[in-house]
Each structure stands twice: as C-alpha cells, then as structure tokens.
Amino acid sequence: MNQSRILPFYMAYPLPMYYQQEDSVTRDLEYLQQMYPAEAKKYQRIIAETLDRIDYEGSMIYDEYPDKWQIYRLTQAIVDKIVNAGEEQQSDAYRSRTTEFVQVLLSYEIYRKRHSNRNGILKF
C-alpha cells in the first residue's frame, strides 16, 4: 500500500482556509478605508448611500461593461449633492477636483459591489 497518496484531513477540505484568506482581505480593505481623510470618508458615505439605492438585480453597476455616460451622470448627481450640502459658494476648480475625486471613489465602490456577494465576502 502506498502511504504517500493519502492526504491529511485539513488538506482534503481546503475551503475553510479559502474563506479565511478572503476574510483577511476584507478586513484589510476596511482598515485602509478607516485611514481615509475626513473629506474622503464623507464622500464615500454619500457614494455608498447612492449606490445602495441603485443596487438591484439588473442595475447598470452590474453590467459587464458599464456605460461611461451613465457613470458620468451618476458622478455629477453625487457632486451636485456634495456641493449643495456646502454653505459657501464653490469655485469651478473645486467642483472639477471634487468631480475627479468622486469618480475615483465611485469606481472603487462599484468594483466592491460587483465583486462581493450578499454575504460581503469578496471574490477575487
């Protein structure tokens, strides 16, 4: 009998270790998000609320190739919400910088939603 072909029990069922690795990835992402500056945290919260409203099966955020114009419109709606929340008048340079920053955060949040299942475990 060849004993070298027998696998130990923990190697025969590696699935629990797989979820441990994904859990550590999720914890790393959450920890790094806690280190965002205050303004970025505020923007991320608004973006997450907006994406939660349009998070349904068949939503444009789950399209294989999301439409660039739709992403742009969503970005502009979020920027309008941010600018309207501020009391003072904002310059065009501020709006342009905010638009670029929101578009980056929006792309990241869409990526997270697309690659997570309902249990919150990222699938890489």
Side-chain angles (χ1 to χ4, degrees):
M1 182 172 206
N2 189 355
Q3 292 291 331
S4 64
R5 292 183 182 215
I6 298 174
L7 288 174
F9 176 75
Y10 65 90
M11 292 182 74
Y13 300 101
L15 194 56
M17 288 187 284
Y18 175 74
Y19 287 119
Q20 288 175 352
Q21 290 171 351
E22 284 188 350
D23 189 40
S24 69
V25 169
T26 304
R27 280 184 289 152
D28 286 346
L29 288 173
E30 289 173 354
Y31 174 74
L32 291 173
Q33 284 181 338
Q34 290 176 359
M35 294 174 26
Y36 280 179
E39 190 173 3
K41 285 181 185 179
K42 180 178 79 171
Y43 294 172
Q44 184 190 20
R45 184 176 32 84
I46 293 171
I47 291 168
E49 289 171 359
T50 304
L51 286 179
D52 284 344
R53 278 190 309 219
I54 63 169
D55 185 12
Y56 54 87
E57 192 169 334
S59 174
M60 68 92 160
I61 63 175
Y62 296 113
D63 289 345
E64 185 174 356
Y65 299 104
D67 185 31
K68 189 173 184 176
W69 186 75
Q70 292 270 349
I71 299 293
Y72 176 76
R73 285 188 56 219
L74 188 58
T75 302
Q76 291 304 316
I78 293 169
V79 169
D80 289 343
K81 189 183 294 187
I82 290 170
V83 169
N84 291 338
E87 293 84 24
E88 66 275 354
Q89 185 68 15
Q90 307 296 342
S91 67
D92 288 338
Y94 173 81
R95 186 174 179 89
S96 174
R97 182 176 55 95
T98 303
T99 300
E100 290 177 0
F101 188 57
V102 165
Q103 193 163 7
V104 169
L105 285 176
L106 178 64
S107 299
Y108 176 71
E109 288 295 320
I110 289 174
Y111 173 81
R112 283 189 53 199
K113 286 222 179 259
R114 289 171 60 121
H115 290 282
S116 65
N117 62 11
R118 298 294 175 206
N119 297 331
I121 298 173
L122 295 176
K123 295 184 282 186
F124 287 101

